[in-house]
Amino acid sequence: MTETQKKAFIKTYGCQMNVYDSERMGDVLAGMGYGVTDTPDEADLVILNTCHIREKAAEKVYSELGRFREQKRQRADDGRELVIGVAGCVAQAEGEEIVRRSPAVDLVFGPQTYHRLPQLLSRFAEERQPLVETDFPAEDKFDHMPKLPRPEAPRAVTAFLTVQEGCDKFCTFCVVPYTRGAEVSRPVRKIIEDAQRLVDRGVREITLLGQNINAYHGEAADGRRWSLGRLLDELALIEGLDRLRYTTSHPRDMDDELISAHRDNPKLMPYLHLPVQSGSDTVLKAMNRRHTAAAYIGVIEKIRAARPDIALSSDFIVGFPGETDADFEATMSLVKSVGYASAFSFKYSPRPGTPAAEMENQVPEAVKSERLSRLQELLNSQSRAFLQSCLGREMDILIEKPGRKAGQLAGRSPYLQAVHVEDQHHGIGDMVRVCIDSVGANSLSAHTVGADADSLPRAMTTA
């Protein structure tokens, strides 16, 4: 990086898709000569890549913009420029309102238009007026992105890869269909090419991303549409790619081909995030989830029959409009019935523009808080029990980074748990066979055993 090279600072909020999008923005900006910095004070361009899922998301963005406004003013006093951009789902939802409330903002662009950053920056340099780009373009943004990864990108052993975007489900609490658009699946060939390039750069584990990923229906070379299960089987043929994951799924799209992949594909990790949101059929109907609690449990039973050692994760919303004590107890009953390795739980908060925000019978905050506390206590106890169940087990760990202590390495288990290993003979990118010998609050500690997994055939490197 030269002294005169411009620098960009990208702050990411929210989901893994936003993390991926920020990385791709970095790729686009690298093609324009920008270097990406972790220090906003060094930046010539600041981009806030925003999320609209959680409560007060927009207000948090405006608060952050206030801090950068002052930084921009100080730069101007010194004869230097700071360009400020807001990207992502808040940008898509708020649009012109962001510029109205925060005049220091120069660029506002949604998650489907960040490939247009070069044109936006060029236009801004000429017009010197705030630009808002929140239309859903007709072209596929991935057709206009640099190939993944760029040669100078930092090397890593794990990577995200977007295969599907958008959602057609229209859950009444969710803004994704409005901010990300309709479901779109990338062609099989492009995904395979991206995955191969990642593996050529040393990636050994890829997590496929999509807002509703198990609705994937990408076009193959012969014009046929492939399911996610078929895509995973094809990716498993890539030599050097040892682990596959995917997120996030909808219960209605867990088809037999995908469930069979969990049984038959040795590279597909035994971990599944499958949001249910509620255990009450009344609430599920109000949410427009289009499945019942019994149907969800039926899917879980089929998955566990296919892969008995699978670890399950989910999302829960408590205090949805109209949720009664009985509805909440139905959620608690479902959690006890399923048993989760981990979960994310939240109090319902209205998202402007969604049907649920206009519903009557909004649940008082105190009631939401009490219910959330009870649910989280149950979920945390299940998470602790799952961690304890790993004690004494052997499993393969993909080493991702040095540990916190000398002679220690850190990696992930097949179940996505953080694992710390006392080992001075392996390095980042190695697959190591370990035995779990202690359990922490959110992680495991282990020692290596026998022949390391890298001496075994690649297809045997799962738990």
Side-chain angles (χ1 to χ4, degrees):
M1 184 178 292
T2 65
E3 290 297 321
T4 58
Q5 183 182 31
K6 286 189 174 183
K7 298 179 183 180
F9 171 76
I10 305 173
K11 181 169 183 177
T12 307
Y13 302 78
C15 67
Q16 291 169 321
M17 183 75 83
N18 267 17
V19 174
Y20 177 87
D21 285 349
S22 291
E23 292 173 352
R24 300 311 326 263
M25 287 183 213
D27 294 340
V28 172
L29 291 168
M32 301 177 64
Y34 280 85
V36 176
T37 178
D38 294 327
T39 307
D41 291 344
E42 297 179 350
D44 303 282
L45 169 65
V46 167
I47 296 176
L48 305 183
N49 189 17
T50 61
C51 176
H52 211 300
I53 295 297
R54 300 299 165 220
E55 185 177 10
K56 299 179 181 177
E59 294 308 315
K60 292 177 182 177
V61 172
Y62 288 119
S63 177
E64 188 82 1
L65 287 172
R67 289 190 285 272
F68 282 114
R69 177 185 60 198
E70 180 60 23
Q71 185 173 332
K72 181 169 185 165
R73 186 191 63 76
Q74 293 173 357
R75 290 280 189 90
D77 290 343
D78 295 336
R80 296 181 299 151
E81 182 177 54
L82 176 63
V83 177
I84 299 176
V86 179
C89 291
V90 172
Q92 187 70 40
E94 300 277 321
E96 297 279 358
E97 178 69 6
I98 293 176
V99 174
R100 189 189 69 79
R101 288 185 57 179
S102 298
V105 172
D106 304 302
L107 306 174
V108 178
F109 52 99
Q112 303 303 338
T113 53
Y114 63 76
H115 62 290
R116 296 179 176 177
L117 258 174
Q119 294 92 329
L120 287 171
L121 286 166
S122 177
R123 279 183 56 199
F124 176 74
E126 292 179 5
E127 300 175 15
R128 316 307 299 177
Q129 294 291 330
L131 300 175
V132 177
E133 183 77 79
T134 55
D135 292 335
F136 289 107
E139 78 270 16
D140 181 354
K141 71 180 179 186
F142 293 99
D143 288 340
H144 300 269
M145 300 293 291
K147 291 189 182 299
L148 182 69
R150 65 183 188 272
E152 67 275 18
R155 290 183 180 269
V157 296
T158 64
F160 295 129
L161 178 56
T162 291
V163 303
Q164 181 271 345
E165 284 202 71
C167 185
D168 295 341
K169 296 296 188 290
F170 287 92
C171 297
T172 57
F173 57 82
C174 186
V175 298
V176 167
Y178 311 103
T179 59
R180 290 276 181 174
E183 290 176 3
V184 177
S185 296
R186 298 183 63 201
V188 171
R189 177 183 58 81
K190 294 181 181 180
I191 295 168
I192 300 299
E193 289 174 352
D194 278 351
Q196 184 64 65
R197 280 191 288 267
L198 287 167
V199 172
D200 291 344
R201 289 274 296 176
V203 168
R204 299 190 68 174
E205 175 181 301
I206 291 177
T207 300
L208 306 183
L209 297 180
Q211 267 84 34
N212 192 28
I213 193 169
N214 55 345
Y216 176 82
H217 57 279
E219 185 175 355
D222 61 2
R224 295 182 181 180
R225 295 283 173 175
W226 281 17
S227 69
L228 180 63
R230 178 72 182 88
L231 176 65
L232 287 162
D233 288 343
E234 187 71 16
L235 287 167
L237 300 177
I238 297 177
E239 185 177 355
L241 178 56
D242 294 279
R243 288 182 165 185
L244 287 163
R245 305 183 189 272
Y246 65 90
T247 194
T248 292
S249 303
H250 193 286
R252 292 183 65 247
D253 292 315
M254 286 299 302
D255 60 30
D256 289 343
E257 191 167 18
L258 182 54
I259 293 173
S260 295
H262 279 281
R263 180 191 64 216
D264 301 330
N265 188 335
K267 295 186 179 182
L268 180 55
M269 292 294 96
Y271 177 89
L272 174 63
H273 183 67
L274 191 62
V276 63
Q277 307 299 355
S278 174
S280 161
D281 288 347
T282 301
V283 174
L284 289 170
K285 183 176 181 180
M287 289 177 168
N288 194 36
R289 291 290 290 173
R290 291 185 281 180
H291 64 79
T292 63
Y296 177 86
I297 291 175
V299 170
I300 296 296
E301 290 173 347
K302 291 177 69 174
I303 294 166
R304 281 185 163 148
R307 187 72 195 253
D309 67 334
I310 199 161
L312 295 168
S313 174
S314 194
D315 292 342
F316 294 91
I317 295 173
V318 301
F320 190 79
E323 182 188 67
T324 65
D325 289 341
D327 292 327
F328 175 70
E329 292 302 331
T331 296
M332 296 288 282
S333 177
L334 181 142
V335 171
K336 293 172 185 175
S337 174
V338 173
Y340 291 98
S342 63
F344 303 93
S345 52
F346 308 93
K347 292 187 291 185
Y348 170 75
S349 59
R351 300 271 70 80
T354 60
E358 305 302 322
M359 289 181 179
E360 298 179 354
N361 300 321
Q362 297 286 329
V363 177
E365 283 298 316
V367 175
K368 291 187 209 177
S369 296
E370 189 273 336
R371 289 175 183 171
L372 181 64
S373 178
R374 286 183 56 203
L375 176 60
Q376 289 183 337
E377 183 178 359
L378 175 59
L379 291 169
N380 289 338
S381 69
Q382 291 186 347
S383 179
R384 289 192 297 270
F386 182 75
L387 284 170
Q388 286 292 333
S389 74
C390 295
L391 193 62
R393 288 186 57 187
E394 291 188 10
M395 59 183 69
D396 296 328
I397 305 303
L398 175 60
I399 302 300
E400 297 181 17
K401 60 184 179 180
R404 293 177 297 220
K405 303 175 184 177
Q408 191 180 72
L409 298 171
R412 294 279 176 179
S413 77
Y415 305 109
L416 207 58
Q417 302 146 311
V419 183
H420 303 283
V421 187
E422 299 295 333
D423 188 324
Q424 300 183 32
H425 305 291
H426 295 91
I428 295 170
D430 286 342
M431 199 80 71
V432 181
R433 190 74 174 176
V434 304
C435 179
I436 305 301
D437 47 31
S438 66
V439 176
N442 298 295
S443 63
L444 303 169
S445 295
H447 65 273
T448 56
V449 295
D452 63 84
D454 273 321
S455 68
L456 302 174
R458 289 295 177 92
M460 295 177 61
T461 57
T462 59

